[in-house]
Each structure stands twice: as C-alpha cells, then as structure tokens.
Amino acid sequence: MTRYPISLAVACLAAAVLVAGCASAPDRYYTLAAPDGPSSAAPASGAPVFIELAPVAVSERLARPQMVVHQAGGRSAEVALLEQHRWSSSFENELRDALSSGIAARLGAIDVTKGGRQPSTPAWRIAVQVRQFDAVENTRVDAALSWTVRRSDADLGATCQWRTSEPVGHGIDALAQGAQRVASNASDAIARHVAQLQQNPGATCTTP
C-alpha cells in the first residue's frame, strides 16, 4: 500500500476544504406572480371581458433579471445588484405577467395582448408605468405606479396614480415576497379602476 507523508495529506485536505469553501451558492429565482387565487373585483357578467396590457415601462436600472436592492442603513443612492438572486425573467416582463394574470383573475377577464379576440369586440387597454420600485433589504418595498385605462372603441382614457410601502422581514426571500405582495396589491388597484369604468365610463380614479 502506498503511503504518503503526513504533510502531503494535510496539504491535500486543506486544498479540498479550500475548494469546497470557494464553491458558489446556487442561484435563486423568484416570481412576482401571486400563488393564491385573488378575489373578484367586479361581479361576473354574461359578456366576456377583454383586457390588453401593454409592456410595463420601467427605468433602465430595473430592466434586468437580477434583483436591485438598497442596503438597509446604507447611503440612499447606493444599490446592490444581486447576481445570485434573480427574477424568473427580466423585471419588467415578470411584473407584466404578474399584473396581467392578477387583473384578469380579479375581473374574470382575458388578456388578449397576443391575440384571441374579434376586432369588433372592445377591450380595456391598460398601460402601466413604474415610477418607483425600491426594495430596501430587511425593511420594506416602496413602489409608485401610474396607469392609463382606455376602451379600444373610445377616444378618452382615464389615468390613475398609486403608491404603496410594503414592510418586509429579514432576508432576500422576505424581500421577494414583499415585492410579490406589491404586485398583487397593484393588480387589485388596477382591477378596481377598470371595474369602476365598467360601471361608469366617466368615473374618476378612486383607488387609494
């Protein structure tokens, strides 16, 4: 049996420990889509409801799959780009999918952005702009959105502005869950606005 010097064995063991310590943690992926089924924002009607949700407009710094996080207690202008904590797609696409499914579920509607309705059938066209989306680690998620809702067979549109601050617990998982709640609450607010316009096309935005 081949015998190695003790010093060589110790060196090999140290090298193995060093390699194991240098192994990177696996990437974590998150979604903004709510896991639970939302309640309806408007009574069901016999006629189908169609919505067209345009691509969500976000600032360039957010238009990426990596989570962009403010450090708690850090300088307000400093952010961290988390390479190992990512949305399942680029943030603006992830948010658009979450809003689309959330609004459609609350209204009992169909998102026909990619087709699926007759040209003569009106749809509610929704355009959303993210004016603020700041995730502060271990603290909160601050968000401000504005949107325009217009029926495809009408010239006038209605606008609304919405702001929220969602407290979160410790860690990136809690931060992602807070962002998910923000997307769900935004879906609620937009769906309520559309429901108001269904009842009264001249209604002003009363979303809190």
Side-chain angles (χ1 to χ4, degrees), residues 12-193:
C12 291
L13 179 59
V17 171
L18 181 61
V19 170
C22 292
S24 60
D27 292 346
R28 303 287 298 276
Y29 293 90
Y30 301 91
T31 180
L32 288 173
D36 54 342
S39 58
S40 176
S45 61
V49 178
F50 298 104
I51 62 172
E52 291 183 3
L53 184 60
V56 175
V58 302
S59 63
E60 187 175 351
R61 72 179 177 86
L62 294 173
R64 61 186 74 243
Q66 298 95 329
M67 293 182 67
V68 180
V69 175
H70 290 265
Q71 302 298 318
R75 291 174 294 179
S76 60
E78 184 177 356
V79 297
L81 191 64
L82 305 185
E83 292 290 346
Q84 293 182 319
H85 295 82
R86 298 172 174 243
W87 303 112
S88 60
S89 62
S90 189
F91 175 77
E92 71 276 17
N93 295 330
E94 185 69 24
L95 182 56
R96 189 234 171 262
D97 290 344
L99 293 176
S100 171
S101 59
I103 296 168
R106 287 159 173 80
L107 294 174
I110 301 171
D111 184 357
V112 294
T113 303
K114 298 181 180 180
R117 73 176 177 91
Q118 296 296 325
S120 59
T121 304
W124 293 95
R125 290 175 174 166
I126 306 168
V128 178
Q129 180 180 14
V130 177
R131 296 184 290 113
Q132 178 190 11
F133 201 98
D134 294 329
V136 185
E137 190 174 0
N138 306 329
T139 308
R140 67 187 185 277
V141 178
D142 296 328
L145 279 66
S146 61
W147 61 80
T148 300
V149 180
R150 182 175 66 85
R151 268 179 60 117
S152 58
D153 59 350
D155 294 330
L156 297 178
T159 61
C160 195
Q161 295 187 1
W162 177 82
R163 182 179 294 273
T164 189
S165 184
E166 184 69 27
V168 301
H170 181 78
I172 301 302
D173 285 4
L175 197 63
Q177 291 167 3
Q180 188 181 78
R181 292 193 296 273
V182 168
S184 179
N185 293 339
S187 297
D188 276 335
I190 298 172
R192 284 196 300 268
H193 190 198

